[in-house]
Amino acid sequence: MKRVLTIQDISCLGKCSMTVALPVLSALGCETVILPTAVLSTHTGFEEYTFKDMTDQIGPITSVWRNEGISFDAVYSGYLGTIAQIRQIIDLFRTFKTKDNVIFVDPVMADLGKLYPAFDMEYVKANLELISHADIIVPNITEASLLTDMDYRDNYSEHYIRDLLRKLSEYGPKISVLTGVSLEPGKIGIMGYDRETKEYYLYQNQRIEGSFLGTGDLFSSVAVGEIMRGKDWREAMKIAADHTAHTIEVTIADPDKRWYGVDFETTMPDLICGSGLSH
Ligand code: PXL
């Protein structure tokens, strides 16, 4: 069984980060090891939230794993809390990187042209170093524009997206994937770039109106799970994009829909069937 380490916060209520990654990766057949970076009452999109930083636990926890000789097929980081914590995660990447495993970084810090409330430009700089240790990164356009110091645009050409991807890849990741890319009216998806082959990959599906927090976490978790199931990165991103769109569609149809997260629980059986894991 593939073993994935996922590093992100636990938002006790809010359907994002760890509470999405753990069930999704488990459902895709991965042994999932978790490293909670912080414990919050709710995610930071709520007006009020508590935040218990777990940075001082990262060293002791990882040294136990090191002493046990544990290795990971993938290390996947999502929402992190502080710059000090990012430095520790970079050390962790150095410790657990092997020639065959995958370091997957979702540099969660911003969306829709704005940084999340907890972060500033120093935090962006720290993320730039973090992505330089990754094999695969999956920022959205806001995060990519902050990381590359390019203007954020919500109206853009394919040329702009390709520039963002090439600039990101100069920082080191082999595969850079931009999420939330819309190059045709009514469509949205991803565009990726392989630094070694210099090939681009565009995949768009129908845009479904509605914005929910946590959809990026669902996308990344499915992508990591599918890569662990042996899929090529392009196929994994396509499955993740389709599954995320499907889940948004199902959520919108739910009369009890919440503004803070998607109904990934409802679509979990479709994910498992689609992966051929149901028999
Ligand atoms: O889904 C991104 C995310 C994860 N974790 C926390 C967040 C957010 C987005 O706002 O606040 C705590």
Side-chain angles (χ1 to χ4, degrees), residues 213-244:
L213 209 134
T215 49
D217 305 324
L218 178 62
F219 172 85
S220 293
S221 305
V222 174
V224 172
E226 293 294 344
I227 289 168
M228 290 296 97
R229 293 187 52 68
K231 301 275 180 0
D232 168 74
W233 68 270
R234 299 168 193 80
E235 180 67 8
M237 299 296 165
K238 176 179 182 299
I239 294 170
D242 283 342
H243 186 70
T244 305

Side-chain angles (χ1 to χ4, degrees), residues 138-181:
V138 290
N140 60 35
I141 296 174
T142 307
E143 289 154 351
S145 68
L146 287 163
L147 288 166
T148 57
D149 203 19
M150 280 177 62
D151 286 343
Y152 169 74
R153 298 190 197 154
D154 47 16
N155 215 325
Y156 46 77
S157 61
E158 183 164 341
H159 187 75
Y160 170 74
I161 297 295
R162 284 177 179 241
D163 278 354
L164 277 176
L165 285 167
R166 268 196 319 277
K167 278 207 158 180
L168 283 169
S169 76
E170 283 166 14
Y171 293 105
K174 176 172 160 11
I175 309 292
S176 301
V177 174
L178 274 175
T179 60
V181 172

Side-chain angles (χ1 to χ4, degrees), residues 8-11 14-18 40 42-46 49 51 78-80 108-109 116-119 213-217:
Q8 38 196 321
D9 70 278
I10 296 179
S11 288
K15 294 216 272 187
C16 66
S17 44
M18 199 68 92
L40 294 86
T42 45
H43 64 60
T44 61
F46 283 78
Y49 59 88
F51 181 92
Y79 186 102
L80 306 174
V108 181
M109 57 185 169
Y116 289 142
F119 303 134
L213 209 134
T215 49
D217 305 324

Side-chain angles (χ1 to χ4, degrees), residues 11 14 19 39 45 111 135 141 144 154 194 213 222 236 246 273:
S11 288
T19 61
V39 178
D111 202 5
D135 298 300
I141 296 174
D154 47 16
D194 181 327
L213 209 134
V222 174
H246 171 51
C273 289

Side-chain angles (χ1 to χ4, degrees), residues 99-116:
K99 77 176 175 15
D100 299 318
N101 73 1
V102 178
I103 306 273
F104 186 106
V105 172
D106 186 354
V108 181
M109 57 185 169
D111 202 5
L112 305 172
K114 281 210 296 255
L115 275 169
Y116 289 142

Side-chain angles (χ1 to χ4, degrees), residues 61-88:
I61 291 173
T62 50
S63 77
V64 171
W65 295 340
R66 213 178 36 231
N67 296 344
E68 288 289 329
I70 301 290
S71 60
F72 301 104
D73 297 292
V75 180
Y76 153 37
S77 72
Y79 186 102
L80 306 174
T82 61
I83 293 173
Q85 193 165 83
I86 292 181
R87 299 224 168 91
Q88 295 236 26

